[in-house]
Amino acid sequence: MNSLDWAVLIGYFGVMIAIGVWSHKRVDNVSDFFTAGGKMPWWLSGISHHMSGYSAVMFTGYAGIAYQYGVTSYVTWSFPIAIGIAIGAQLFAGRLNRLRSRLGVASPLEYLKTRYNLPTQQALAWSGVLLKIVDVGAKWAAIATLLSVFTGISLNQGILVTGVITGVYCTVGGLWADALTELGQFVIQLLAGIAMLVTVMGELGGFSSLWTVWDRLPDSHTLPTVGPYTLTFLLAYLFIKTFEYSGGMWNQAQRFMATRSAQQAKRSARLSAALWFIWPAVLFFPMWVAPLLVKTQKPDASDSYALLTERLLPHGLLGLVIVGFFSHTMAMCSSDANAISAVFTRDIAPALSAKARDWSHRAGLLAARLSTVAFLGLSMAIATQVNSPTFKDIITVVIKWVAGLVGPISIPFLLGMLRTFRKSGPTAALGSWAAGLFAFWLTNYGLSDIQLQIQIVSPVATSLILFILLGFVRPEDTEERDGVLDRINSGDDDDEGSGAAVLVALPEQGGGVEGVSGGVSGGVSLGGVSLGDASLGDASLEDASLGDASEGDASEGVQGGGA
């Protein structure tokens, strides 16, 4: 890197901070911080959802897979993610939006207290937070690895720089800052990715290299599944990523919750799925042909893309590609930080402290920002240990730990929204969660010589089977739980312009929530609809008075009422 590359990189960091400061003006309450007040356009939500699924692991761990095995890196990674999100668009996106608009929650897990019980909510919240600390730690380590290749600074220094910059803009601006920076990062990634593709094609003979270069590569490079990435692995990965990218890891769920309506949430998911289907193939081509251009120094070839950019790109453009690396990781880490902050502030803290249940708007926002900083700090500390014997290497953490543990956490959360599983109650949720965690430990540490696909799929398969089975063996459906499902599943708000209706306030979720009892956020569609005395359990709106309410901006539209 020379001064021009540094100028591009520093300029990028400056823009990210400026967006965070600007977004700060749009954050007045907890709902704005965690779900953008339900006002995010579907296209911005879709791009944000897409970007929040990337990290620098794409350019390190998966670049190594592409270098060694070829197109299987796309077939067994981004392709199943695209299919999984398309499935989630139909099953989960609209329902996740109704969690905010119908139940007035600001955290994805808030509804679990009523859908199951408090212990279930806390088990999923705590285990998910711990998993995400490790997951994001791997992402920091990946970007710091790239930074060390280009600049020569140490791994820990790289972690500190990227973590602090990300912490500034996502802490002050909340989800708005995340989404807007992700939009900017998408534009940067688009320019950098196309520049890299064109440069590599020029080096290999022009546009025709897209189909002529394969004869010069190993035969295995064109196989859809090869090495440890078998057809079984592909199917297992599709199974897992359907849950993970449809909202099971929370940060993606927030993107769907932030749109104005359930219909827009579905559009957002479809846009993200289309981007996952097309764009990674553009990014992967230079990685597939990298063996013809560079010789890696690391056994896992995780340095191949960095070496490729150093060799081929001129200064200035090199800086733009490096910014693209940062944009991936900072997008994912900031979105995870916001999601974890939401879960801590809205779910964990109120269960630990009576004071947290009575936080004012100001206190709730302060807690949200402090918990964001704390999460980033812990994940950065983990990042310094990601290559230790406990975690092994970056790609191990991402593939094994995240893919293996996402099932026990996401299955009770996502399937709990579907009427099909209404009989699955707290016993099914906690039983499937505990058994999934045990299956992860058994296949990864208790037994030896277990195939990678078995290690990955066993926890989620175990959780799914037990969640369904225990629902039949010990049905725990109640009138209150059925009421929650009715509110999530009814589709009368799917038409454009219908807005969202806040009809239920979840009990005992703490102060500082906007709308009902000073706390439920979301939109209210009047449109001749009479709310009457719609209620769920102890939460009733029969005494509520309606103010002016418009689509996506009804946080001031419901006043009074008790929760």
Side-chain angles (χ1 to χ4, degrees), residues 129-194:
V129 167
L130 294 174
L131 171 61
K132 266 305 176 185
I133 290 174
V134 175
D135 178 31
V136 174
K139 307 300 192 306
W140 292 135
I143 191 60
T145 298
L146 287 172
L147 190 61
S148 66
V149 172
F150 291 109
T151 67
I153 67 174
S154 69
L155 180 71
N156 290 348
Q157 289 172 331
I159 292 168
L160 181 63
V161 169
T162 53
V164 169
I165 297 294
T166 304
V168 170
Y169 78 76
C170 76
T171 300
V172 299
L175 191 64
W176 271 118
D178 290 346
L180 292 172
T181 53
E182 284 159 357
L183 175 61
Q185 289 157 356
F186 177 73
V187 174
I188 292 170
Q189 177 199 104
L190 187 68
L191 297 174
I194 291 176

Side-chain angles (χ1 to χ4, degrees), residues 12-38:
Y12 164 74
F13 285 152
V15 171
M16 296 301 101
I17 293 174
I19 289 176
V21 173
W22 181 86
S23 300
H24 180 73
K25 300 177 182 178
R26 305 194 67 170
V27 178
D28 296 324
N29 50 56
V30 172
S31 175
D32 290 339
F33 191 84
F34 292 135
T35 61

